[in-house]
């Protein structure tokens, strides 16, 4: 895995944020599964390397959470979707009772602001991310696609967390913002962080 994926490069949610969240949930008796889905080839080896590089393996070793190793996907119908009426996503979504959406505050050269709403794009498996991005012609289309995902899983999505302690700006430069956003509503959280 490239070193740029490590938490100290502000590319991903810092493991301390995930660890704190898992510890709080564990005290409440919640069983947690930490899931990530890298771009490109999606294999157990790549996933394990990503969990190691991002510090999530250490989080799992220090807490009672599991790391997702389920590579299965499923076609989900999105009846009310504007940008998509169906989407192939990680089947893990069907196996959990709730989703806590934890992402990194980023500003991308092509996609602009990336926060709580756009973090659900992570549910799209591996190489399919590029296929979907190539189909979506504008940033507006991309954001609508992510809104469709939020609407599909609104009953399971119970909390959104955005790590903006050190944000990633356009051009991969780091910026100390010193904020951690938390909300039940992804749209309100993103509006507050913008």
């Amino acid at each position: 895995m490239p070193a740029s994926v490590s938490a100290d490069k502000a590319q991903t949610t810092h493991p301390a944020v995930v660890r704190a969240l898992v510890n709080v949930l564990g005290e409440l008796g919640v069983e947690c599964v930490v899931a990530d889905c890298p771009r490109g080839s999606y294999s157990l080896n790549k996933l394990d390397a990503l969990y190691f590089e991002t510090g999530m393996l250490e989080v799992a070793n220090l807490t009672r959470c599991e790391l997702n190793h389920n590579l299965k996907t499923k076609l989900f119908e999105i009846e009310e979707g504007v940008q998509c009426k169906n989407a192939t996503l990680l089947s893990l979504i069907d196996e959990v009772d709730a989703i806590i959406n934890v992402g990194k505050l980023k500003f991308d050269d092509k996609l602009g602001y990336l926060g709580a709403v756009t973090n659900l794009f992570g549910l799209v498996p591996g190489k399919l991310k590029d296929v979907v991005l190539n189909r979506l012609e504008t940033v507006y289309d991309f954001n609508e696609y992510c809104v469709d995902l939020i609407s599909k899983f609104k009953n399971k999505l119970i909390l959104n967390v955005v790590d903006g302690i050190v944000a990633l700006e356009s051009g991969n430069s780091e910026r100390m913002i010193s904020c951690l956003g938390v909300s039940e509503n992804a749209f309100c959280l993103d509006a507050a962080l913008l």
Side-chain angles (χ1 to χ4, degrees), residues 140-158:
Y140 184 81
D141 293 341
F142 171 71
N143 284 301
E144 273 191 336
Y145 183 93
C146 295
V147 168
D148 289 344
L149 296 181
I150 291 269
S151 68
K152 172 64 180 177
F153 300 108
K154 63 185 172 198
N155 294 330
K156 276 195 174 190
L157 184 58
I158 62 167

Side-chain angles (χ1 to χ4, degrees), residues 11 26 45 84 115 152 192:
Q11 288 276 350
N45 288 340
C84 64
K152 172 64 180 177

